[in-house]
């Protein structure tokens, strides 16, 4: 008989956001007339900008004409988008990439989950804690994390990010094969300085460590001194793979497009230590085998975000969400809550009052204030005692939720 991959059985029964959806649906059944406001799931609410929709209409028309119709595209993405990415996202920051080092995907979630296939199952991993669940769960699936006890996996090195250390993870005091970093951070909404990021790159260079760097929210950075890419740090090309997404930047959560940077300089060793293998080459081979490429229409839409009109329109949408974040941060602080993030990222990390558990606070907010948040403990052990709020809602919902919470807290 066929045998199941038993590592899947180690996973929690439900993905975090599926658990939240289940609880919210139960609430709706028993409170059918309640006006529920969600500040939990990080989905966007503003429509695609005009430059994007115009590009999509044009691309669809091309697909309707035999002379301009396109079938299978290159698995790595069309040159027009890869070149636009290099020209607009990296060259202005002094970063020189080959367009062939850019791999277009259907959103950062897929590649951040799949990238771990490139390395052996027995590599050690280190994660900032709290952390985006996909990083851990994808490693559980391959058998890299060991067993779970009290919310911690036995083969994972956790690097707590809390108010006590100002959300700056401590460099491990031992060698780790793979490190996951996400900045601006999901879920805490905090950022990393160039000085601190340089420490991580130097650690990776010294210890032959691989860094998976999630920069999906870099477009939300407001502080000019905060790095947008790990490649702003000298030497990072040798140790880091970076992930980007148009989902939150340009509202592509339903359209699906992003990209991964795999420099040609980055390598990993064979078990006998005799050879270094190009991870760029392996990722190219993996994508050709398992991925048929992002749709032509989606790639033309992404390309449009780099036009002068697209840049201004995307910037306007980002500022809309960041204004929401400012309103939420100022209001919750005025109510006496301890709030982090929300200044260079669309997430706010809120300390629960009187040491209340994350899920208990979530349930009370849901049933008493009719507002949905995300329990921080769902992102890792150090998330206990916090909840995450997102700024992706409509302005009127954001303001209404803040008014409700003022009466409730």
């Amino acid at each position: 008989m066929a045998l199941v991959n038993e590592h899947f059985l180690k996973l929690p029964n439900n993905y975090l956001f599926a658990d939240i959806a289940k609880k919210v649906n139960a609430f709706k059944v028993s409170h059918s007339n309640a006006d529920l406001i969600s500040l939990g799931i990080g989905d966007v609410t503003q429509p695609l900008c005009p430059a994007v929709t115009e590009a999509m209409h044009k691309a669809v028309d091309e697909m309707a004409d035999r002379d301009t119709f396109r079938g299978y595209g290159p698995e790595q993405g069309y040159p027009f988008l890869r070149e636009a990415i290099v020209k607009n996202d990296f060259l202005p920051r002094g970063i020189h990439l080959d367009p062939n080092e850019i791999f277009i995907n259907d959103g950062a979630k897929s590649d951040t989950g799949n990238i771990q296939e490139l390395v052996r199952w027995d590599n050690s991993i280190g994660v900032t804690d709290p952390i985006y669940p996909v990083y851990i769960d994808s490693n559980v699936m391959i058998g890299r994390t060991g067993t779970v006890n009290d919310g911690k996996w036995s083969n994972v090195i956790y690097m707590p990010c809390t108010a006590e250390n100002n959300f700056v993870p401590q460099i491990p005091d031992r060698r780790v094969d793979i490190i996951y970093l996400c900045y601006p951070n999901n879920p805490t909404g905090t950022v990393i300085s160039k000085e601190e990021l340089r420490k991580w790159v130097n650690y990776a260079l010294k210890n032959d460590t691989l860094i998976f760097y999630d920069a999906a929210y870099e477009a939300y950075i407001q502080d000019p001194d905060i790095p947008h890419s790990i490649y702003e740090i000298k030497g990072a090309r040798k140790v880091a793979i970076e992930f980007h997404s148009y989902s939150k930047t340009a509202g592509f959560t339903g359209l699906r497009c992003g990209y991964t940077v795999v420099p040609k300089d980055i390598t990993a060793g064979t078990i006998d230590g005799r050879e270094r293998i190009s991870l760029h080459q392996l990722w190219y081979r993996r994508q050709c085998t398992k991925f048929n490429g992002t749709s032509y229409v989606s790639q033309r839409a992404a390309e449009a975000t780099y036009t002068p009109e697209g840049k201004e329109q995307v910037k306007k949408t980002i500022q809309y969400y960041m204004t929401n974040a400012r309103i939420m941060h100022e209001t919750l602080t005025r109510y006496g809550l301890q709030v982090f993030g929300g200044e260079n990222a669309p997430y706010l990390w809120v300390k629960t009052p009187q040491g209340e558990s994350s899920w208990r606070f979530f349930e009370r907010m849901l049933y008493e204030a009719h507002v949905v948040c995300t329990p921080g403990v769902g992102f890792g052990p150090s998330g206990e005692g916090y909840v995450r709020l997102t700024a992706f809602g409509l302005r009127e919902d954001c303001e209404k939720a803040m008014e409700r919470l003022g009466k409730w807290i």
Side-chain angles (χ1 to χ4, degrees):
M1 63 178 174
L3 299 178
V4 70
N5 178 353
E6 294 182 358
H7 298 305
F8 274 71
L9 305 181
K10 300 175 184 177
L11 290 166
N13 289 333
N14 286 314
Y15 185 54
L16 170 62
F17 298 107
D19 276 338
I20 293 172
K22 183 177 179 181
K23 290 178 180 292
V24 169
N25 288 335
F27 169 85
K28 289 179 178 179
V29 169
S30 58
H31 299 75
S32 57
N33 295 322
D35 177 21
L36 190 63
I37 299 175
S38 178
L39 300 178
I41 305 297
D43 199 0
V44 295
T45 54
Q46 295 302 293
L48 298 170
C49 67
V52 166
T53 56
E54 289 169 13
M56 291 177 67
H57 283 297
K58 182 179 178 180
V60 169
D61 288 340
E62 290 179 34
M63 298 295 277
D65 188 317
R66 182 167 60 185
D67 293 335
T68 53
F69 171 79
R70 288 171 173 80
Y72 289 123
E75 292 91 347
Q76 299 74 38
Y78 285 98
F80 63 78
L81 179 54
R82 301 166 90 184
E83 291 167 5
I85 289 168
V86 170
K87 180 180 178 180
N88 291 277
D89 286 348
F90 294 98
L91 279 179
R93 299 190 174 98
I95 301 168
H96 297 272
L97 294 176
D98 182 335
N100 290 326
E101 295 176 311
I102 308 291
F103 292 80
I104 309 302
N105 59 37
D106 58 357
K109 182 178 182 179
S110 296
D111 279 7
T112 54
N114 292 329
I115 197 72
Q116 51 80 28
E117 294 180 19
L118 298 187
V119 290
R120 281 175 55 94
W121 65 270
D122 52 357
N123 279 273
S124 59
I125 65 170
V127 299
T128 53
D129 172 36
I131 189 173
Y132 183 44
V134 170
Y135 307 155
I136 291 287
D137 289 355
S138 59
N139 280 282
V140 173
M141 292 172 178
I142 201 172
R144 190 174 285 125
T145 56
T147 57
V148 66
N149 184 32
D150 292 332
K152 287 190 175 184
W153 294 90
S154 59
N155 292 347
V156 175
I157 294 95
Y158 290 86
M159 300 172 287
C161 296
T162 63
E164 288 68 31
N165 63 10
N166 201 28
F167 297 95
V168 177
Q170 184 176 350
I171 300 288
D173 58 4
R174 54 175 165 145
R175 186 186 174 282
V176 182
D177 294 314
I178 303 165
I179 297 286
Y180 283 84
L181 297 176
C182 173
Y183 289 102
N185 185 257
N186 178 16
T188 66
T190 56
V191 290
I192 192 169
S193 68
K194 188 167 288 188
E195 180 183 358
E196 289 295 330
L197 188 55
R198 186 175 291 111
K199 293 178 183 178
W200 284 101
V201 172
N202 289 341
Y203 168 86
L205 289 167
K206 180 180 178 180
N207 292 278
D208 198 8
T209 295
L210 180 61
I211 296 176
F212 294 150
Y213 193 80
D214 189 344
Y217 299 95
E218 60 84 18
Y220 285 84
I221 294 173
Q222 309 293 301
D223 186 337
D225 294 328
I226 299 299
H228 288 250
S229 167
I230 196 170
Y231 303 121
E232 293 180 43
I233 308 301
K234 184 179 180 179
R237 284 182 53 91
K238 296 181 179 180
V239 295
I241 293 175
E242 187 168 276
F243 308 91
H244 289 255
S245 174
Y246 299 102
S247 288
K248 310 300 171 56
T249 301
F252 279 36
T253 52
L255 189 55
R256 310 310 304 152
C257 192
Y259 65 88
T260 298
V261 183
V262 186
K264 294 180 180 179
D265 305 35
I266 196 166
T267 62
T270 56
I271 193 169
D272 60 11
R274 297 179 180 177
E275 191 176 359
R276 303 290 300 192
I277 305 298
S278 165
L279 293 187
H280 178 276
Q281 176 185 340
L282 293 188
W283 188 245
Y284 179 92
R285 182 66 175 86
R286 188 267 177 202
Q287 293 299 82
C288 288
T289 301
K290 292 190 174 184
F291 187 56
N292 262 340
T294 306
S295 79
Y296 172 72
V297 175
S298 294
Q299 292 190 61
R300 282 298 186 190
E303 179 194 29
T305 66
Y306 297 113
T307 64
E309 301 81 9
K311 288 180 180 179
E312 285 302 312
Q313 292 163 7
V314 168
K315 183 178 179 181
K316 184 177 180 181
T317 300
I318 288 173
Q319 289 308 313
Y320 177 93
Y321 292 133
M322 290 308 293
T323 298
N324 282 353
R326 178 182 56 78
I327 291 171
M328 295 165 66
H329 195 290
E330 291 176 353
T331 305
L332 294 171
T333 301
R334 190 167 64 249
Y335 294 158
L337 293 175
Q338 196 172 9
V339 184
F340 305 93
E343 296 173 337
N344 291 287
Y347 294 117
L348 292 89
W349 193 239
V350 183
K351 184 74 173 175
T352 60
Q354 287 82 50
E356 190 170 11
S357 75
S358 297
W359 277 110
R360 174 59 180 160
F361 190 79
F362 163 87
E363 290 174 348
R364 287 206 308 113
M365 184 183 289
L366 174 62
Y367 280 88
E368 297 171 17
H370 298 175
V371 176
V372 179
C373 63
T374 304
V377 71
F379 296 101
S382 293
E384 181 57 278
Y386 293 89
V387 295
R388 189 193 73 174
L389 300 179
T390 78
F392 289 119
L394 298 172
R395 179 67 45 74
E396 52 267 34
D397 285 344
C398 172
E399 293 174 340
K400 188 188 299 183
M402 293 301 101
E403 182 181 351
R404 286 187 192 174
L405 293 179
K407 297 176 180 178
W408 173 68
I409 293 173

